[in-house]
Amino acid sequence: MARPVLDESLIHPAIRDKVATNRMELVREVQAAIAAHAVVVVGMAMNPMPKRARKLLDEAGVAYHYLEYGSYFNTWRQRNALKMWTGWPTFPMVFVKGVLVGGADDVGKLLASGELQKMLG
């Protein structure tokens, strides 16, 4: 099932560039990290779930690259661009070999089943 995304034909031409480039520097930074590292965790300060995901990966001996963008008190607009790009509503966002696998609970399930290790080959 494909997630619904507003068709470009339904975005007025005068604002298409603004929509397409909104906070693109942040998205490009995450894309570069995903291209350079097998596992990437994108999180934010003060949120216990990114810390939990990192702890699960540490305990499993899985190396990862961590990116942190602000806290509950700042940079929410920048983080919102990542949510819009991925469609994932919360932090952390965990990528394995370029694939968004979800958050901390999802990482825990993948580790428990052995699927994450299979993805890493």
Side-chain angles (χ1 to χ4, degrees):
M1 172 184 208
R3 67 182 173 98
V5 177
L6 186 63
D7 189 271
E8 188 170 338
S9 67
L10 299 174
I11 300 172
H12 192 277
I15 66 165
R16 284 183 187 155
D17 188 55
K18 185 175 184 177
V19 170
T21 60
N22 179 45
R23 311 283 183 198
M24 188 48 69
E25 67 284 349
L26 185 66
V27 173
R28 286 194 180 114
E29 183 177 344
V30 173
Q31 287 173 322
I34 292 167
H37 304 278
V39 179
V40 176
V41 178
V42 181
M44 58 185 275
M46 300 173 63
N47 182 330
M49 297 311 278
K51 184 176 182 179
R52 181 168 178 252
R54 291 168 36 219
K55 182 178 179 185
L56 288 167
L57 293 167
D58 286 339
E59 289 171 351
V62 175
Y64 59 88
H65 182 72
Y66 181 60
L67 299 169
E68 184 173 278
Y69 296 107
S71 70
Y72 288 110
F73 300 114
N74 59 34
T75 64
W76 67 269
R77 285 184 178 98
Q78 290 87 339
R79 287 192 309 275
N80 195 44
L82 294 175
K83 291 179 180 185
M84 292 172 63
W85 171 59
T86 63
W88 188 250
T90 61
F91 288 93
M93 296 174 179
V94 181
F95 297 86
V96 177
K97 296 276 186 139
V99 175
L100 176 64
V101 298
D105 292 340
D106 306 289
V107 166
K109 290 174 188 173
L110 290 173
L111 285 167
S113 72
E115 178 66 21
L116 194 138
Q117 295 85 338
K118 287 179 188 172
M119 290 177 73
L120 292 171

